[in-house]
Amino acid sequence: MNCAAALQSVVISLCCCVVSPMVLRTWAGATVEYHVATDGHDRWSGKLAKPNDSETDGPFASLRGARDAIRKLKSIGKGLPGPVTVHVHAGEYNLDHPFVLEPQDSGTPEEPIVYTAYRGDRPIFSGGRTVTGFRQNGPLWEAVIPDVKQHGWYFRQLFVDGSRRQRARGPNVGYYRIARLLPGPPDAKGRRIARDRFVFSPGNIRVWQQLSDVNLVLMHSWETSIHPLKSVDLDTSIVQFVAPLKEWWGIGHWEKNQRYYVENARELLDQPGEWYLDRETGRLTYWPLPGEDLSKTRVVAPRLTELVRFAGDSDRGTLVKCVTLRELAFHYSDWVLDPKGNSSTQAAVEVPASIMADGASQCVIQRCEVAHVGSYGIWFRRGCKDCRIQQNRLFDLGAGGIRVGEANMAKTDQSETSRTLVDNNHVFDGGRVYAAGIGIWVAQSSHNQISHNDIHDLFYSGISIGWNWGLKPNRTHHNIIEYNHVHDLVHGVLSDAGLIYALGVSPGSIIRNNVFHDIWPYSHPPFGWGIYLDAHCGNYLVENNIVYNTRSGGMMFNNGGHEHTIRNNIFALSADYALWPYSEERPSTFRRNIVYLTQGKLLVPYGERSLKQRLAAKQPLGDWDQNIYWDTQDANRLRFYGRDFLQWQELGLYQHSQIADPKFRNVAEHDFRLRSDSPALKLGFKPIQTGSVGLYGDPVWANEVTHSQCPNTPLPPPTPPPAPLEVNDGFEKTPVGRGPDHAHVSGEEQGGSIRVTNQRARTGKQSLKITDSERLHPSWQPHFYYEPHFREGRVRLSFDCWLDNAAQFIAEWRDKKAYPKNLGPSVQFGPGGKVTVAGKLLVTMPLRTWLHVEMVTLVGKQSEEHFTMTLQVADQPVKKFENLPIRGESFDAVHWLGFISSASVDTSFYLDNVRIQRVGKP
C-alpha cells in the first residue's frame, strides 16, 4: 500500500448545545453520540449525522464544537451519563487553532470519550491552507498571499498535491564545504574556533537580496544546526550568523571542511520543484515539476505549528483522562525557527510535536495518521501515565515520529511520563527539516513498551532509549523494546547512529525479538551500528534479535558500558567490524550468539588496552562463551584482539565457542533461519522466529510494509584506511594569527595559544608560536598534532625550534592504539635546553637560537623498537643519536604526531619548517 495515500481525512465539528434533564434521563447509562461533518454547524445539536431538510439542526462543524458540547453535558448532569462517542464524517477540516483538550474534557474508565471516524470514513484535520491565485510567469507560478504581505503569516514548508517541495536551495544536490575556519573565543573544551562565522569558497554564498530570510544548515556528525545569516563579506569570503551555535558543537568539530547548504533565497530558485516566499511582498514563487497543471494542482502551506494538545498539569494533579483519538488524520503543520537559530545536542531534542500531551492519563491515539508536519509527530511529554499510541501511521515528518518523556529528569514520580504503550505504528520518511529526528524516542521515562513498530527511512537513529550520560540516577528503566522492524536508515546524511540507540543505566530494560537491518551513515566518521549501547549504558538484556547490513558493526557497547546480558542474537553482514565490545570492571555476558562475517574484521581494536590490563590483573572478562563465529572469506583470519582462536582459548576464554559455519538457510536473501544440522543448535542457540515482528492486525495494515518488501542492499566495501598525510609547512602561506594548517589544536585557553607569528622565523618571515601559561592545566596543554597515517616504511620528522630557558615541549609519535602502549619516538626539549629521551639526558643544547631536529624510524611489519635523532645548531657539527628506545610496545604505525607544551610557567617557544614525510619505499 502507498503509505502517503493510505489514509485520507477525518474531522469532527462540535457545538455548544443545551441538553434538557429529560434527554439526560433518556441517555443515562447509554453511549452518548455526536456527529461532526464538513456541512455541519457548531450552533446545532450535533446529534444528527447530516443536516435536516430545514437545515435547522445537524452535525457539528468542528472538534471544538463537540468538545464544548460535552463540557456542557457534564456541567448539567454533574458528570457524564455514559460513554461518549464523537463520530467524524469524511472530509477535510481546516483548523484555525490547535484542538485543545483540558482536564475538564476528561472521561472516566467507565465513561470514556472517543473522537473517531464514522463507519470507515477518512476525515483529515488540516493545519494548512490552500494557496490560490497563481499566475504563470514563464516557467514559474506566482501568487501574492495578502496575509503574508501584511506580516500575519509566514510559512517554511510547501506541499503540492500532498508531496513536500524543497525551498530554494544551494547546492541543489549534496553540500558545500567550509573553506576555512576562523579563530574565536575558547569554548568549554578549549577550542578557539569561531562559532558564528567561517570562510566559504567564492561563489557558494552571495549577498542575497533578502539575506535575513536565508538559512544556512550545518551538517554535524549526528545533528544539524540551522542559522539565520547576519552578513556576507565577499571581499574576505566570510559569512556570519546572527548568533553563535551552542558550544556542544562548534564549527569544524568533526571535519574542518564541514558540510553545509543554504536555502530560502530567491536567487537560488533554479530548478523544478523549488519554491520561495518573499516575506515583504507576500509573493510565493514555485517552479512546477514536469506534468503539473496550474488548473489542477493543489498547493498547501501550513498555518499552524501544533494541531492537537492534551493540556493537563501533572504537577498540580489536573489531568486529561480517558480520551481517545481514533482513525483521524492530522496533516500540515509548520516549524518555527528561533531568531538566533537552532542547534540541538542530539536527536532534534528541542523540537516539539504536532500532537503534544502533558498530564494525560489513560489517553489513546489509535489508528490515526500524522503527516506533512514540520516537527515530531506525537509527544507524550510530561506527567503522562498509562497511555497508548497504537497502530498509527506517521510520515513526511520534519523531525521524527513519536516521543515519550523528557530530556530533563522529572523531580517527582507524578511528573514522570511512564507506562506508555507504543505499539504497531508505522513511522517513516522523517528528518525532512531536522535530520536528527528519531523514529521513536524515550527519555527519563520508565515501564514503557515499544513493540511491533515498523520504522524506516529517517536520517538518524530508529529508536532511542535513555538520555543520561554517566552513571547518575535516571528514570529510564524497565522498558521493553520488542518485535520491532527497524531498517533502512541514515542514507549517508548523518553519522554515529544506531538502528536502536540506548544511553544511561537502565535496569530491567530488555531489547528482544527485533529485526534491525540496513544503516548506512555518512563517511566521517563512518559510524552506524545495529544495537548501539552508548557511553556508560548498563544493565540491558539483549536477546533474540537479528541484526544485519550495518556499516560499522552489529553490536556496540561503549567504554563504560557494563553488566549487559547479550544472548541468542544473530549479528551478520557488517561492512567494517562485527562487534565493538569494551572490557569493563563490571563485565557483560555474551553467550549463544552467532557472529557472521563476509568482510571486515571481527572486533574493533579500541578495547584492547583495558582487556590486557584485566588479563594481567587476572580480573574477570565477563561470561563470553557458547558463541559461533564464522568468516566466509577465511575463518582463519578471525582475530580476537590480535590472537587467533586457539591462542584466545589458551587464555582460558571461549572454551565452548566454535569457529564454524552456522548454516543459515539463505544469507543472500537474508533468511537467517538455521538448518537442522547447524552447530549453533548444539551449543544451545534457540531459533529466532520473525513471523511476529513488525506490524500486525488486519492484512491491509500488516502488509503495508513487511520484511520481504525491503530492498536487498549489498554491503559496501570496508571503509578504506585514512590516506597518508605528508606535511611540509614553513607557515609562510598561513595568515598571521591563525593556527597551523592540517593540524588539530587543543588547549587554547587560560593564556595558552598556538598561532602563526611574524615575530621570528628560521627561514622566510613567519613561524609557529606556542604560548604556555602558568594558569593552564593539565600540563599537556596546549598541544597540536597531525594525523600522518603512515603504516609502512621509514618515516622522518624534521623541524626547527627556538626556546628560551623556561620553555619545554615534547615531540611525540603515536599509533592509534591505547596510550601509552602506542607511544613511538618521544623526545622532551627543555627546560634549560636539555634534550631527554625515556628519562635519560642526551645533551644540553644552546638556548635562544634555532635548533634543527630530525627523527627517523621504521614502521609497519618490520617496525623497529628504536629511532635515530640528529640535532644541529646553525653551522655547528651535527649531533647524532642512534638506537634511542621506543617505549610503546604496540607502536607500529604513525597515526598521531604532535608537539606538546609541558611547561608550568608563562613561556613560549617557536617551531618552523615542520616536515613529516616517508623516506624510501613503503
Side-chain angles (χ1 to χ4, degrees), residues 179 191 261 467 509 526 604 727:
R191 298 180 295 239
Y261 63 91
W467 196 261
S509 292
V604 73
V727 176

Side-chain angles (χ1 to χ4, degrees), residues 86 195 220 224 239:
V86 178
R195 291 180 289 113
H220 307 283
T224 62
V239 59

